Amino acid sequence: MRRTAARAGAAVMYSGADAAQAPAVGAGAEAVPGPGPMQAPPAAPAQAAPQQQYELRTEFPFQLPRGYVDEAGTVHRDGVMRLSTARDELVPLRDVRVQENPAFLSVVLLGRVITRLGTLPTVHDGTVENMFASDLAFLQDFYRQINAEGHTRAAVECPHCAEPFEVELGGSRLGES
């Protein structure tokens, strides 16, 4: 809860009919304590807008372009990635492999946020490390998209013909803000 209170020595402006009833405070005048802190007038009743229910989506399905091949030769393409937390981006920075080779950050980070891949019982950084490069690139882009409020595109307009189109704004490395 936020409260606004008049501070000692602060100027308070009165207008109209309120000015005639304003306490006289100035040189030689004594401030008379009021009933309590000044509060903002009550806000006009807002029109009752229907409550808009907002559901936060935290998991996103994906399909790898090639697929992860496990030890038995089974190809796993369908998976789920969850939104990243601050912890997900901070914990890998303490990983020795990431400290020795910063390029390993995306592998460790993706191993934390991929919650399901095909029929694999668990997904971890070792799983991501053994993916095809094209699948790793896909997952890096997908990570950027879901953690940047759904996409990394912006609507723009051609300065010559005024035709609207979209441009891709992505380009920062995974795990960097």
Side-chain angles (χ1 to χ4, degrees):
M1 186 170 143
R2 195 170 180 190
R3 236 173 36 181
T4 305
R7 293 190 186 118
V12 179
M13 297 183 73
Y14 293 90
S15 63
D18 293 336
Q21 296 176 357
V25 178
E30 186 175 301
V32 179
M38 294 180 60
Q39 296 182 359
Q47 299 218 357
Q51 287 282 341
Q52 192 172 16
Q53 194 74 355
Y54 179 73
E55 186 175 317
L56 179 63
R57 186 173 169 199
T58 60
E59 292 191 327
F60 300 84
F62 63 84
Q63 187 173 58
L64 295 174
R66 296 196 191 274
Y68 170 74
V69 182
D70 66 13
E71 309 82 41
T74 306
V75 179
H76 304 273
R77 292 187 67 200
D78 296 320
V80 175
M81 184 182 295
R82 66 173 172 77
L83 287 176
S84 178
T85 64
R87 175 171 289 227
D88 291 324
E89 294 206 358
L90 293 171
V91 168
L93 298 175
R94 291 184 282 189
D95 190 300
V96 175
R97 298 167 296 179
V98 173
Q99 291 173 353
E100 290 175 358
N101 183 1
F104 206 78
L105 174 63
S106 63
V107 171
V108 176
L109 184 54
L110 289 169
R112 292 180 61 87
V113 297
I114 297 172
T115 59
R116 185 180 63 76
L117 184 59
T119 58
L120 295 174
T122 60
V123 180
H124 49 80
D125 53 7
T127 309
V128 177
E129 189 175 14
N130 289 307
M131 288 184 176
F132 295 112
S134 58
D135 288 336
L136 178 62
F138 168 83
L139 289 169
Q140 290 171 330
D141 286 340
F142 190 67
Y143 175 92
R144 277 190 215 97
Q145 288 174 3
I146 68 170
N147 286 287
E149 297 187 33
H151 60 81
T152 57
R153 295 177 307 278
V156 295
E157 188 176 281
C158 175
H160 301 291
C161 67
E163 184 71 25
F165 63 98
E166 288 185 340
V167 294
E168 182 67 35
L169 299 176
S172 63
R173 294 192 52 85
L174 182 64
E176 294 178 352
S177 297

